[in-house]
Every structure is written in structure tokens, then in C-alpha cells.
Amino acid sequence: MDSLVDWVVQGVPIGCIYGLVAVGLVLTYKTSGVFNLAFSGQAFLCAWFWYDRIVNHGWAIWVAFLVTVFVVAPLTGLLLDRALFRYMRTASWQVKLVTALGLLVAFPEIVKALYSYTPGDFPPSLAGFLGRSSIDFFPIGDNTLSPDSLIIIIITVVAATVLGLLFRYTAMGLQMRAVVESPRMVELAGVDAERVGMVAWMLSSTMAGLAGVLLAPQYQGVNGTEYQLVIVAAIAAGAVGRFQNIPMTLVGAIGIGFVGRMLQDLLASSTLALDVRPSLPFLVLFLLLVFWSRLREGRAAADPLAGVDPPPPAMAHEYKDEALQRTTKLLFPVFMIGFITVMLTLVSGPWVARITLAFVYAVMFLSITVFTGLGGQISLATAGFASIGAFGAVHLFRDLDIPSLATLPIAAVGAGVVGAILVLFMDGLPALVARVTRRPPARLAGLYLTLATLAFALMLDKTVLRRESVIGGDSGLPIDRPDFLSAEHDRRWFLVVFAIFAVVGFLVILIRNGTTGRYMAALRGSDPAAASIGINARMLRIKLFAISAGIAGLGGALLALHSENATPRETVSFLGIVWVVLVVTLGSRTVDGAVNAALGFVIFSTWLLPELGFKSEFAIVLFGLGAITYARHPEGIVEFQTRRSILAQIRARALGNRAKELKAAGELPKEFTPVRFAAGPVFAGPLLYFAYILIGSLFTEGWLSVRSPTILFFIVPSLLYGFGWILLTSLRLERDGGVRFGWLILTAGATVGALAGVWFDSEGWPLRGSLADCVLVGAAAGYACAAFFLLPVHVQTIATRRNWLTTPISWREGRAPAGFVVFGALLLQRTTLTGQSTGSLFEQGFPPSGWPVFFVVSAWVIVWVQWVASVQGAVNELAIGGEGYEPPEEKTHLAAREVAVAVPTGGSE
Amino acid sequence: MTDVATSVPAERSGPTPGKLLDVRGITMRFAGITALNNVHIDVEPGELVGLIGPNGAGKTTLFNCLLGMLQPQEGEVWFDGDEISSLPVYQRARRGFGRTFQRLELFAGMSVRDHFLVTERQRNGSGSIWKDLLNLAKPSADEQARAESMIELLGLQREADQPCESLSLGRGRLLELGRALMTQPKLLLLDEPSSGLDVKETAALAERLAIVQKDHEFAVLLVEHDVEMVTNLVTRMFVLDFGTMIASGPTDEVLGNEVVRKAYLGDVG
């Protein structure tokens, strides 16, 4: 009996905290459709803020409490809504989930960056609210209840009651429930859906703030890991309430707290406990998700006004016409041959290893391309299957003496089989049961499938991947490559890895272009219609999941062979999330999306960031924040850029054709300058420099080292040409009706830049020739930044004056180059002040030189040249546009003249 | 004489001979609302049958139950001699159902031709993942020919290779009809196919439908509000009102029935 009371006293308060987080989670889900897994991150942030104010700034506890919970917490919610989630109100669940995952990944790192983190500091207690000290316990029978726990219970009850009343009895509550069903319908009824969404976010974030503040004393310290545990318990609690019913969610949460405490006691001594206990919450969640089909039935209602959206633009490759396709067909093999040649000859040892690693990751990421890009579902278990593949290969090698290369296909098949069993269990078994009992067969898809894969990955983390017999200790288990591929023959190994990647990539493309891909396209287009023509969605999904698991397993085994060791990763669940965010953000529908993701991941985290003085964990923040771009471009960055560049090419060609016509008729205006005359010389300098490096390296051992005086020698003439062109074009445009006093703006920019240069110098840069150099560079940078925005705005102004419906270019064109200039300045400051000298390729002192800078400068050059080309193209359009000229963009895809969207007309059943 | 829906004998007695579709005692409840109440409906092979009734009567719900998208609390569905009540949607579809939807459900991003090709591929079952991997998945000459003849039949040549989103509603409905026909169904379920179409488009749709039906002799179960269209096409009718079948029988008799006129047609003939 005593133990029962003990379990209640210990378990209920923690259950209440789970409840607060769970309620916030459910609330957000109900009102925005976003499953905000980053909730615990928000709680963590609030906890730190509160702690920081009290301990480091001496605020009174109740003041800190009020400010944290009622100011900071809602503000973070507001920020998230305004910056991110408001763009996603009508987006698909995949977009919403991936963005939430991105936040989940980025938040803890951001918090760590903001606050210097010393675990073990004892956080202040809220016991003062009850007029007691924190050790003044309430006796309950033989047990004691701490004041902190009591406060938790009281606050939870109050919060839940307030929320419940809000939802039931206020207009706002009703509006919140309506907005998630159909924001457009709600607006037709005269309600501001934006405001409602905003309020919902602020409200649920307040819950996060409360949870964060209350949790800290429980855990004797503000520690990130506990907060991540909380989110899983909260999901399980939400599942009990079917992600809809707030009171049930609370009951579920308290139940979980209670049962957790009970099991902790009961299983403490048994050996089973060591395995089962840590994974219990995940196991419960998993079983609930799989077997409780009522859970998945809730949100079938579709937005009746979904048909109002314009159709999504086609994939980039569909825009290509004959000419472009021919060019691609030519260029691609040339590029491939060039790439392989360079890899086999010029590239240095560490880089061969890095790029090989990138292709290993590319194989793993292809698993995401298959399941997410093709299958339209999100699996967070990729890293789990990769681990299965890796350790499977190692054990085959060590225990069964199978040659290491031969373990690759076996590991792939093995992982695929595990994947098939898993998905058959998750999806097929309940379906069978449903058929026998004649209950509606609810599919495991969408969010629930994702959560089930997360639960699976978490279980792997806590059980299989902790056993010594599997992973062999912290340093993992070694595996050897065959002799002819050992470490000295790193280029041969690169060829092997690249070949494997090419084969897998090719197979993925075949699947996408084959029957399976067509069926998946039909399913994506309309699920019920696909079923009505006989497509078996479940079987397709099972196949795709098994294939993606197999590919992930192959990637994992390949990684083990690459590092000649299968190493246990921190947590496969976390990694799985990072990878999904990365691949989806860059582009999950195509193979080159996977390649880009892998290259970016490896190059950023193993080279670029450390060389530039950032911790490699910072890469995770960047990837997480990449989720912000994903909200705007759900097709992925790579796809978006490709489409943009193809459209730009088509547009340029149309312009060129028109110019030819006019020239033939002798009517070409003199303002028209072919783009190559503007962008050519600007690009010539850097291009010559790259050629110089390439040719020079052929004559020396390995690559020439990159020195900034040489860069400057080549780039400065181009730069000067560019600046001259800017001035000339600006003056011309101003004369034609552009922004007044453009020359003044340019001068002002130069002056501000010069002043910034002076300031930099005073900060102690070790400059050669110091002040003059700084001023010069600053003035140039300032002039350029002003021009980046000024010229497009000139064009925009003139176009508006002429009453054109669309302007050929807008101020946004200036963001990228200006951003690079600012970033470059920051970079220069970092690298000189911190005096980095990692590796022999980097030389100390100013100007900083070396390959990292070279790459950054190359990227900037491309952006700069693109800007020049865009502006010149826009100027040309102004010159010859007007009568008889239509920008071709709108016509590329929807060729039909009468375009009508099928809007549902009356008639319900 | 028209008869108000009679109750079927309580015991299951196996399939009714001569009936392609035999639906007995379907009752569907949604959270307190009885959408369908002990509904019986039947269709013979090659027959054209109409299903009319006011909005909210439960016609689309009945279709969803027939095809398996919804599972009724009571009732059986017999098709072509087999009970299909517990089969999932795709299996029922493969047994010979074709369906169009009240709200157009096209495969976003695919062209007209692609719709027909993917349907044909599913129908002939020649696709497999192994063939994909061996690059043997391109549409065969046969499949291309069938798709082309469907395009011609429906007069969609002009839009054949354009994305389906660029089609007007009338053309989209034709596309849906074509897609359903590509499955070579034994029974075609049409859910308000003329909804949103003008007079010309409705006539064109009805004409095409009649031609194809004469050629291929499949049965049709047609839900429609356009009484003229229905009368011209079907020989037998069922009338559903608030989940209950209130009349069934040959077209003229149903249209003349007092109960039906009051509930739905108004007193105008």
C-alpha cells in the first residue's frame, strides 16, 4: 500500500509535466496541423531563460516566472508562427512535419550557443509560491510530497481547466478548431485565420514555458536530454487522447508518470529491466500506434477548399525542351568523366577520403529518396537500418568469416528483410485483423507511420544498440577492407564506392520511371482514385519501405567498410531526423538531391565549418534552419534552383530571339547589350584564375596552394570592370526614369563601407598597409552592396512607370550577393582574429588564404556573376520589351488557353 | 407497379442468380446520424440503372460502401456471385468496378495519356518492380494503342499530353470517365458526372457514355440530379431519400410515383 502511495506521490507530478507538454503538443496539432516535436526545445529554452535570469541576473523568482511564462514563451510561439508556420497553413503534413523536425534538431544547439552551459547547477525552486522552503515537505502517510511537486499539480490543474473552458465556451476556441480544418473556409466566414493561428501558437507555447520552468527542479539541473525524453512521453500521452481530446491526454500523461514510477520500482532488480525499462515508453507508443486503429481514424476531414490552390509547378526536368535536354545529355557525361579524372589524379588524400565518405552518405540518403521522395511518407528509422547494416556486416565478417566486400549485399538484403518484417508488422498485421473482424481497415500512413518509425529507432537506441555483444563497446568493432582496397589504395576504394552509388542511383531512377513510380505518382495525385483503379497502396508502401531499408543497410555497411570500423553513433533516432531534414530540404525527389545533401553534410561538418572556426555541431543548426527554406520550397532547394535556372534560360533565349528579330529589322535599341558583354568580363578574371590553378597543379605535385595576392591579381580587373558597368548602367537607368539620385546612393554606400573599414581596422586586424587597405575594401564592399539593390530597383521603377504587369527583376535579386559580402566580412574577421591554422593548406596572417576561402570566394563569384547577368537581362528586357513582347515564363507549363480549376460545385451526398 | 423497397429475407441466402450487383440491408451510421438505413439495390449485367434523390440522401455514401471506402455497420455486398463485403477497395476495383467521383479526383501532375496508360498497366497487371529494375517498364505498343483509342473515343486529342490540371471541368469529367472505362469494368459507378457541366457538355458526356456502353455492354449505376439525362439513359431507377430507399422500378413508373415527386421532383413532371 505504501508503495502505491509512493508511486502516486512520485509519479503524478512528473506525469503532470508530461501532461503540460502533451497538452501543448495536442493543442498545436489541433489548431495548426503541425506536430511540433520541437516543443521540448521551446520548454528547454524557457527553462534556461528563467534559470539564467534568477541565477545570473538576480531576479526574484516570481518575476522571472511571470516573465518567462507569460512573455518569453508566447513570444517564441509568435516568432515561430510569423517566421515559419504561417506559410504552411495549407501545406501538406509532410512539409509541416519536416519543418518541426528541423526545429527539433536546431533548438538545443541554439540554446547551447546562447547560454554557457554548466550542468549540475541547482535550479531555483518555486516552493516560495506556497510560502515554504523547498525542503519543507508535506507528509502524506509515510511518504512526503515536496512543495515543488504540489505546485506542479496545482498549476497543471489550473492550466488544464482554463484551456478546457477556453475551448468549449469561447468563440476563440471554436475558431481555433475550425482553422485547422480549413483556414480558407474560416476566412470566408469573416474570421481572421492568421490571428487565430497566431493566438493558438502563443497559447501552446505558454504551455511549453510552464513545462520548462516546472521541469527544472525535478531534474536537479537543466539538461537537454531529459527534455527530449519528455517529448516522447508527451507523444505517448497525446496518443492516449488520440491527439484530439485534451482531458484524456492529461489522464494519459498522469497514467504514464504513475506507471513509469511503478515500473521503475518493480523492475529495478530484474535483468529484463535493463533491456525493457529504457525502451518501455517507446514500446508502448509503438504498440499504441500500430494496434489502436481508432487512433488513426481521427483526422480524415479534408479541407473542402483544397481544390482552390493552383496546381504545384512541375518538376524541373519537365520544363526542359529539346534543346536543353540535348545540352544536358551532352554535358552530363563530360562532367562525369572530368570529375572522375580529377578525383583519380589531382585530388589529395584527405579529400579523396572526404568525397568517398560523401558518396557513402549519398547511398544512405538514397533510401530517403525512395521512401520519402517516391513513396511520399517520412521514415525516421533510416539511421537505424544503417546501423543494422553496419553491425550486421561486421558480425558477418568477424563471426562467420565472410569476406568484407561480400558482406555488403548480405547486409543490404538483411536490412531489407528487417524492414519488410517491421512494416508487415506495423501495417499488414492490423489490416489482417481488421479484415477478419470486419472493422474498417485504417492504414498506417502519414504522421502515424512516421511516429511508429521514430519509436522503432528509439527502441533500437535503447536496446539492441546498447548491448556489448552487438556493438562491442564504445569504440565499436573493426572490419577490414580486402587488401587490394586497403587504405593505400584510397582512389580504388573511391571508384568502388562511386560505382556502388551509381548503380543504386540508377536503380532508383529506374524504379521512379517504371511502373512503381507511376503508381506512386497516381497515389500522390489522388489516393481514392488510385485505389478505385485497383492500385494496392499498402503493398507498394511495404515494398518501398523494404527497399529503402535495404539501401540504408547497404549504406551503413559501406560506411563501416569505409572507416574500417562499425562505430556506435550517439543516437540513431536523432541522426535519422537530421538526415531526413537535410535530404528533404535539398530535394528528396531526385538523385541529385541526395548527392547534394551528402556532399553538403560531409563538406560542411568535416571541413568548411571547422576550417572557418565553427564547431561542427553548428552544421546541425544550419541544417535545422534550412527547414525554414523548406517551408517556402517544399520541393527542395535543389529542385527550386534547377527550375529557376531552367526558366531563366528559357526566358533568356526568348529575349535573344526577339533581339535577333529586331536587329534584322534594324530596330535594335542601343540600350540593348547582350548579356555576355556584361557578365563575360566579370566572369573572365575568376575563370582565368581557376584555369591557372588547374594547369599549374598539373605541373606540380597535387594542387597549387591558394594565395590571396594571386586571387586579387586575377579578380581585381574583373571587379573594376564590374564596378564600371554598375555605374554606367545606373546612370543610364536613372536617365530613363529610374530611382532619382542613384549616384548619391552609390556614393553613400561607398562611404558607409569605408567607415566600416575604418572601424574594422581599429578592432585590430593585422593588416598590411592597414588603414588604406581597410578603407578601400570597405568602400568597394559598400558601393557593391548599394548597387546590388539599387539597380534592380531602378528597373522595377521604370517597369512600374510603364505600367508593366510584372517587373523583370525586383529588389530581392540583391539579397544573395549582399548577403555574401556581409558574410565574407564576418568570415575575414573571424579567421584573422582567431588566427586559425589548421592543416598545412592554411597560412596565417592577413590576407587569409587557403582553400576554404577559395571556395567561399568562388561561391560569391558565381552569385555576383549571376546578379550581373540577371540585371543586364532585365535591362535588355526593358529596352526591347513593351509592345509585342510577352515574358515566356507563364506559358511554359500550362499551354492551354482556357485554364479553369475544377472547383467542387454543390451536391453533397 | 412501383414498390417501396421491400425487406429481403433475414437469412443470408447466397448470391441472387442473374444479378451482377446485389446489395442487401446496408446500414451506415456516422456518429449518431443514420446515413443509410437498410438499403437494397441491385443491377443486372449490362443494365443501366439510375439512383436519384435529394442532396444529403446518402447516394455518395452508398457508392463509398459499395466500393469499400466505407465499411457499413450492417449489410452485404454481392458482386458477380461473390460476397465482397470484407474486401479492400483495390480488390473490389480489380473485380470489375469502375468509378467516377463527385469531386473530380484526377492524378495531379499526370497528363491525360498518362492517366490511361497507368490504368491500363494496372489492369493488365504486367508491371512489377523487377521489370522496373530491368528497365522493361516502358508502355508497350498495345498499351499505347489502347490509350490512344480511348483518347479518340472521348475526343480528348487536343489535350492528350497536357497536364490534367489544365483541363476544364467538362474535359476533366471526360478524363475521369475514360480512366474508369480503361479498367474494363463490369459495373461503372458514376457519381453526378454532369455536375458543373453546361448543357452542351452534358449532352456530349451522355452521348459518349451511351456509345461506349453499347459497344462494351457493361452495367452502369448512375447517380444524377439532371433528371433529363438520367431518363434518357437508364431503364430502371432507385430513389433514395434521407438514407431510405423510397421507390424503385422502371423509369416511367418511378418518375410518376407520388412519393417520389413530393420528396424530390417537385410536382412538375
Side-chain angles (χ1 to χ4, degrees):
Chain A
M1 196 53 220
D2 266 350
S3 36
L4 189 66
V5 175
D6 175 59
W7 297 336
V8 168
V9 162
Q10 301 290 329
V12 169
I14 192 70
C16 285
I17 297 184
Y18 293 160
L20 283 174
V21 176
V23 165
L25 195 68
V26 170
L27 186 55
T28 316
Y29 188 52
K30 269 173 80 122
T31 55
S32 72
V34 176
F35 201 73
N36 187 12
L37 291 165
F39 215 60
S40 55
Q42 282 178 261
F44 186 48
L45 179 67
C46 291
W48 260 107
F49 177 83
W50 175 67
Y51 171 73
D52 182 64
R53 293 290 117 180
I54 294 176
V55 170
N56 295 337
H57 292 82
W59 286 19
I61 291 186
W62 67 272
V63 171
F65 179 80
L66 285 175
V67 169
T68 309
V69 173
F70 293 108
V71 175
V72 172
L75 270 180
T76 40
L78 181 65
L79 189 67
L80 284 175
D81 181 57
R82 292 283 96 193
L84 267 187
F85 292 112
R86 98 169 127 146
Y87 299 107
M88 299 193 294
R89 295 221 203 282
T90 50
S92 67
W93 68 271
Q94 290 98 329
V95 175
K96 293 178 182 175
L97 183 64
V98 170
T99 313
L101 289 174
L103 286 175
L104 171 68
V105 155
F107 244 109
E109 301 295 324
I110 293 178
V111 174
K112 275 194 215 157
L114 284 178
Y115 293 103
S116 61
Y117 175 60
T118 42
D121 296 356
F122 201 86
S125 144
L126 289 170
F129 284 8
L130 291 173
R132 285 169 169 260
S133 89
S134 65
I135 49 170
D136 216 347
F137 287 68
F138 298 95
I140 298 184
D142 273 341
N143 295 298
T144 52
L145 179 70
S146 75
D148 284 312
S149 302
L150 185 60
I151 292 200
I152 291 174
I153 298 177
I154 294 176
I155 289 185
T156 308
V157 169
V158 168
T161 319
V162 167
L163 262 185
L165 292 172
L166 180 85
F167 260 103
R168 251 191 190 228
Y169 296 112
T170 65
M172 179 59 82
L174 186 61
Q175 286 165 5
M176 280 197 261
R177 279 185 282 155
V179 161
V180 72
E181 292 247 350
S182 175
R184 292 194 180 97
M185 284 282 228
V186 162
E187 295 211 328
L188 284 175
V191 173
D192 185 351
E194 292 280 306
R195 205 170 63 96
V196 172
M198 212 166 71
V199 170
W201 271 97
M202 289 170 71
L203 197 58
S204 58
S205 300
T206 314
M207 296 283 116
L210 267 179
V213 164
L214 293 174
L215 194 55
Q218 286 289 310
Y219 280 134
Q220 316 281 324
V222 187
N223 185 332
T225 343
E226 267 88 32
Y227 282 83
Q228 292 189 341
L229 274 176
V230 168
I231 195 74
V232 180
I235 296 177
V240 173
R242 292 172 62 215
F243 298 112
Q244 291 174 4
N245 185 331
I246 290 188
M248 276 311 294
T249 305
L250 265 177
V251 168
I254 293 179
I256 291 175
F258 173 78
V259 169
R261 180 72 196 154
M262 175 174 81
L263 286 175
Q264 207 174 342
D265 262 357
L266 291 178
L267 296 178
S269 44
S270 80
T271 45
L272 186 64
L274 290 172
D275 274 350
V276 173
R277 230 187 70 206
S279 64
L280 199 62
F282 320 119
L283 187 61
V284 167
L285 177 63
F286 184 76
L287 290 173
L288 264 180
L289 285 169
V290 169
F291 282 114
W292 194 23
S293 58
R294 265 202 88 203
L295 176 60
R296 302 178 241 145
E297 281 170 32
R299 309 181 60 93
D303 183 352
L305 288 181
V308 172
D309 274 320
M315 295 284 290
H317 60 84
E318 291 178 39
Y319 282 103
K320 287 188 198 159
D321 54 19
E322 289 271 336
L324 278 177
Q325 275 184 345
R326 261 181 280 133
T327 327
T328 319
K329 279 204 173 77
L330 254 181
L331 283 182
F332 186 70
V334 169
F335 174 72
M336 276 291 112
I337 294 174
F339 170 67
I340 301 212
T341 318
V342 165
M343 279 299 291
L344 291 179
T345 53
L346 284 177
V347 180
S348 70
W351 272 100
V352 173
R354 272 194 202 110
I355 295 193
T356 312
L357 181 64
F359 279 99
V360 170
Y361 271 105
V363 171
M364 277 195 274
F365 289 174
L366 279 177
S367 126
I368 299 177
T369 309
V370 167
F371 196 59
T372 304
L374 195 55
Q377 305 289 328
I378 293 182
S379 159
L380 299 179
T382 311
F385 287 112
S387 290
I388 291 177
F391 285 106
V394 164
H395 282 285
L396 284 169
F397 175 74
R398 290 164 61 90
D399 303 337
L400 294 178
D401 275 336
I402 295 180
S404 50
L405 274 187
T407 61
L408 287 176
I410 304 177
V413 169
V417 166
V418 173
I421 294 176
L422 180 68
V423 73
L424 279 170
F425 176 70
M426 289 196 307
D427 201 16
L429 190 62
L432 216 69
V433 169
R435 226 204 267 188
V436 167
T437 60
R438 285 194 87 196
R439 297 235 57 238
R443 292 181 314 149
L444 183 64
L447 179 65
Y448 302 107
L449 175 62
T450 307
L451 289 177
T453 58
L454 177 64
F456 171 70
L458 285 167
M459 278 193 291
L460 273 185
D461 267 338
K462 307 286 179 187
T463 55
V464 172
L465 295 178
R466 290 267 168 100
R467 310 187 87 112
E468 293 259 335
S469 53
V470 173
I471 62 170
D474 278 339
S475 52
L477 292 170
I479 182 173
D480 302 320
R481 291 188 230 157
D483 283 333
F484 72 98
L485 287 177
S486 67
E488 311 90 72
H489 304 285
D490 52 356
R491 290 168 209 261
R492 279 189 213 159
W493 176 237
F494 159 73
L495 276 178
V496 169
V497 169
F498 185 72
I500 294 178
F501 163 75
V503 166
V504 177
F506 191 58
L507 290 178
V508 169
I509 292 180
L510 281 177
I511 294 179
R512 189 181 70 202
N513 292 345
T515 314
T516 313
R518 302 273 96 210
Y519 286 174
M520 288 317 303
L523 273 171
R524 271 199 310 270
S526 165
D527 209 299
S532 79
I533 62 169
I535 292 181
N536 184 352
R538 181 173 271 125
M539 187 47 57
L540 272 177
R541 248 203 329 278
I542 291 175
K543 281 188 196 155
L544 284 177
F545 190 79
I547 290 176
S548 87
I551 295 178
L554 175 64
L558 210 53
L559 182 62
L561 277 181
H562 176 79
S563 358
E564 295 198 287
N565 192 337
T567 331
R569 322 303 228 74
E570 322 85 68
T571 38
V572 294
S573 46
F574 184 68
L575 265 180
I577 295 176
V578 170
W579 291 355
V580 164
V581 170
L582 189 55
V583 176
V584 170
T585 310
L586 280 166
S588 62
R589 299 274 296 271
T590 57
V591 170
D592 44 280
V595 173
N596 271 280
L599 279 172
F601 183 63
V602 168
I603 292 182
F604 260 82
S605 51
T606 66
W607 181 68
L608 194 62
L609 287 178
E611 286 278 329
L612 294 175
F614 297 99
K615 291 196 306 202
S616 51
E617 284 77 41
F618 193 63
I620 294 184
V621 178
L622 285 181
F623 302 141
L625 293 180
I628 295 181
T629 63
Y630 179 65
R632 313 270 206 127
H633 301 294
E635 69 275 16
I637 293 178
V638 170
E639 181 60 25
F640 169 66
Q641 295 291 357
T642 316
R643 195 184 298 153
R644 231 173 56 147
S645 85
I646 293 179
L647 284 175
Q649 286 175 53
I650 295 178
R651 210 184 164 115
R653 203 159 9 116
L655 201 62
N657 288 339
R658 177 101 182 112
K660 272 203 200 94
E661 280 170 29
L662 289 175
K663 194 162 181 179
E667 288 169 14
L668 190 63
K670 60 178 177 1
E671 288 91 6
F672 182 94
T673 316
V675 170
R676 60 184 178 278
F677 289 166
V682 171
F683 189 44
L687 191 64
L688 285 172
Y689 179 65
F690 185 67
Y692 161 78
I693 288 255
L694 204 59
I695 296 172
S697 306
L698 288 172
F699 290 105
T700 63
E701 289 272 309
W703 288 105
L704 278 188
S705 62
V706 176
R707 302 235 40 195
S708 359
T710 333
I711 299 184
L712 289 177
F713 171 75
F714 280 90
I715 290 186
V716 165
S718 282
L719 213 61
L720 286 176
Y721 180 90
F723 282 7
W725 172 84
I726 285 177
L727 189 60
L728 209 64
T729 315
S730 174
L731 290 173
R732 232 189 235 158
L733 287 171
E734 198 178 327
R735 187 199 62 204
D736 286 341
V739 175
R740 308 278 297 282
F741 302 115
W743 58 271
L744 190 61
I745 294 177
L746 288 175
T747 320
T751 319
V752 168
L755 289 173
V758 170
W759 178 74
F760 270 157
D761 180 56
S762 69
E763 292 282 300
W765 263 7
L767 281 182
R768 229 178 285 146
S770 70
L771 189 63
D773 269 357
C774 273
V775 168
L776 203 62
V777 170
Y783 173 85
C785 280
F788 291 146
F789 292 102
L790 177 66
L791 263 63
V793 172
H794 269 319
V795 172
Q796 199 169 358
T797 316
I798 297 177
T800 320
R801 279 228 180 99
R802 294 191 196 171
N803 290 319
W804 283 23
L805 281 178
T806 55
T807 165
I809 203 175
S810 77
W811 66 269
R812 290 188 178 82
E813 203 72 25
R815 286 184 307 192
F820 262 93
V821 169
V822 170
F823 175 63
L826 287 173
L827 213 63
L828 283 178
Q829 190 198 27
R830 267 192 89 94
T831 47
T832 49
L833 286 182
T834 55
Q836 286 282 314
S837 99
T838 49
S840 56
L841 287 178
F842 197 97
E843 303 196 338
Q844 260 193 340
F846 182 74
S849 53
W851 286 95
V853 176
F854 175 77
F855 277 110
V856 173
V857 169
S858 303
W860 181 78
V861 163
I862 293 174
V863 168
W864 154 237
V865 170
Q866 265 186 344
W867 178 85
V868 170
S870 307
V871 171
Q872 184 62 61
V875 168
N876 289 347
E877 221 175 292
L878 276 184
I880 68 175
E883 303 307 313
Y885 174 74
E886 281 172 49
E889 196 168 329
E890 284 72 27
K891 277 164 96 170
T892 42
H893 197 58
L894 300 176
R897 273 279 138 201
E898 59 274 328
V899 172
V901 176
V903 173
T905 57
S908 54
E909 55 272 20
Chain B
M1 253 348 275
T2 55
D3 30 295
V4 177
T6 51
S7 49
V8 119
E11 344 77 68
R12 284 172 50 165
S13 46
T16 314
K19 298 277 182 200
L20 177 65
L21 177 72
D22 192 15
V23 177
R24 307 173 193 159
I26 296 280
T27 302
M28 180 80 212
R29 279 184 279 267
F30 294 118
I33 301 174
T34 305
L36 295 170
N37 187 6
N38 199 17
V39 166
H40 312 294
I41 196 168
D42 61 274
V43 179
E44 286 166 19
E47 194 186 12
L48 289 112
V49 176
L51 177 60
I52 62 174
N55 280 333
K59 308 188 291 295
T60 300
T61 309
L62 181 60
F63 268 18
N64 287 337
C65 288
L66 290 184
L67 205 48
M69 282 136 177
L70 289 176
Q71 195 78 358
Q73 278 78 16
E74 290 162 31
E76 303 157 15
V77 179
W78 291 82
F79 185 71
D80 208 14
D82 296 316
E83 200 200 337
I84 62 170
S85 319
S86 57
L87 293 182
V89 176
Y90 75 92
Q91 280 190 10
R92 300 193 201 195
R94 289 183 190 178
R95 279 168 183 256
F97 279 96
R99 174 174 179 175
T100 66
F101 295 83
Q102 193 177 11
R103 283 200 330 221
L104 211 53
E105 294 272 352
L106 298 179
F107 298 145
M110 293 169 78
S111 71
V112 172
R113 193 183 302 275
D114 286 336
H115 274 75
F116 294 155
L117 284 173
V118 76
T119 312
E120 173 60 20
R121 176 61 61 90
Q122 169 56 53
R123 188 200 66 82
N124 67 39
S126 67
S128 84
I129 203 145
W130 301 109
K131 287 211 185 132
D132 291 343
L133 293 172
L134 296 170
N135 202 13
L136 293 172
K138 292 214 172 32
S140 68
D142 206 30
E143 289 170 341
Q144 295 272 23
R146 281 183 209 259
E148 186 62 38
S149 69
M150 183 60 73
I151 290 173
E152 276 171 22
L153 180 65
L154 296 172
L156 290 170
Q157 293 94 325
R158 211 170 37 131
E159 300 96 339
D161 293 295
Q162 287 168 14
C164 63
E165 292 91 341
S166 66
L167 297 175
S168 66
L169 184 60
R171 315 302 265 168
R173 291 228 184 262
L174 278 178
L175 170 57
E176 250 201 3
L177 176 64
R179 181 182 65 194
L181 289 173
M182 286 295 286
T183 64
Q184 294 184 9
K186 295 180 185 153
L187 171 62
L188 190 60
L189 301 173
L190 298 176
D191 198 347
E192 296 192 35
S194 78
S195 163
L197 302 187
D198 64 30
V199 173
K200 235 178 69 176
E201 290 168 324
T202 309
L205 183 70
E207 186 193 326
R208 308 262 185 204
L209 182 59
I211 294 174
V212 183
Q213 200 276 337
K214 246 195 208 65
D215 268 342
H216 297 272
E217 296 178 347
F218 48 81
V220 175
L221 181 55
L222 174 65
V223 165
E224 252 309 331
H225 280 307
D226 186 336
V227 180
E228 194 184 319
M229 178 193 184
V230 177
T231 340
N232 290 337
L233 276 173
V234 306
T235 49
R236 203 154 55 96
M237 261 195 190
F238 288 85
V239 185
L240 202 57
D241 187 22
F242 286 116
T244 316
M245 204 64 87
I246 57 172
S248 67
T251 315
D252 308 315
E253 292 177 16
V254 167
L255 290 179
N257 183 310
E258 281 305 312
V259 180
V260 171
R261 294 180 96 110
K262 239 204 230 161
Y264 179 49
L265 293 171
D267 283 311
V268 193

